[in-house]
Amino acid sequence: MTTQNAINWPEKYLPGTGDNFVSNEVIVRGVTAARVWHHLTDTSTWEAYYDNVADISFPQGGGPELKDDQVFRFGTFGFPPLDAHVVEYQAPAQGTPGRLSWTAKQDGGPQERLDVLHAWLVEDLPGGRVRVLTQETQIGAPAAALAQERPNPMLNGHQAWLDGLIRAASGQPHAGA
């Protein structure tokens, strides 16, 4: 029997307890967890393979590589730049999945406030395969509104991120290029 690793969820963001939750996963051949990890954690590559991210900055210095306890900002899904904080960082190693999670927040009144946890799991699988799982829990009125849209912009946006990430890790050009 084969079991798959899962995201480590803080209780506050447990799937199904917020206003929006999405889960996307790919399992592909021909790329390694290390290559995927590079493109996931080096934010200078994000805009080259994912169209729904912009204005990445590091207000406390550091970057462009993410690391444990890193603070950064980025815009996505039309929101003003979100204040993000890496809360879990573990590079993939033999027999150990890579884990990356960040919280992202937008302050404001009750209709603007947003609080999310975006988590990633990257692991090599037998047979030269890699598995990339990304899940996000969102809390707040903007999240509730996104959850009602069809097609679901978060689900589709995260799938585009995964697809672009795999293309970049495989050395393939951006789909829009």
Side-chain angles (χ1 to χ4, degrees):
M1 180 165 107
T2 303
T3 58
Q4 293 186 328
N5 289 292
I7 301 294
N8 295 327
W9 286 102
E11 189 172 338
K12 175 181 180 181
Y13 300 102
L14 195 62
T17 63
D19 295 303
N20 194 15
F21 172 77
V22 295
S23 179
N24 298 71
E25 176 180 43
V26 294
I27 299 175
V28 296
R29 277 194 239 171
V31 66
T32 65
R35 289 291 305 150
V36 171
W37 190 255
H38 164 73
H39 288 281
L40 177 60
T41 59
D42 182 353
T43 64
S44 71
T45 70
W46 287 7
E47 291 181 63
Y49 69 82
Y50 182 48
D51 294 333
N52 192 26
V53 67
D55 303 320
I56 303 164
S57 66
F58 294 83
Q60 297 178 3
E65 292 84 18
L66 296 178
K67 61 183 182 182
D68 196 33
D69 206 34
Q70 178 77 55
V71 173
F72 66 108
R73 298 186 86 206
F74 68 102
T76 188
F77 289 100
F79 294 117
L82 300 170
D83 295 313
H85 178 225
V86 175
V87 295
E88 184 178 33
Y89 183 99
Q90 173 185 295
Q94 181 67 34
T96 304
R99 294 179 178 280
L100 176 66
S101 296
W102 62 74
T103 57
K105 299 183 189 231
Q106 174 180 289
D107 291 328
Q111 294 307 308
E112 294 85 34
R113 201 169 302 126
L114 183 64
D115 184 359
V116 309
L117 182 94
H118 192 159
W120 297 82
L121 189 138
V122 180
E123 63 184 330
D124 286 313
L125 297 175
R129 299 172 300 144
V130 69
R131 174 179 178 235
V132 184
L133 172 66
T134 186
Q135 297 180 326
E136 183 169 323
T137 292
Q138 302 177 328
I139 302 164
L146 273 178
Q148 297 305 311
E149 290 186 37
R150 295 294 177 267
N152 185 309
M154 290 298 300
L155 190 66
N156 291 338
H158 285 178
Q159 191 62 47
W161 197 338
L162 276 177
D163 294 346
L165 178 60
I166 295 300
R167 271 193 310 276
S170 300
Q172 299 173 6
H174 185 282

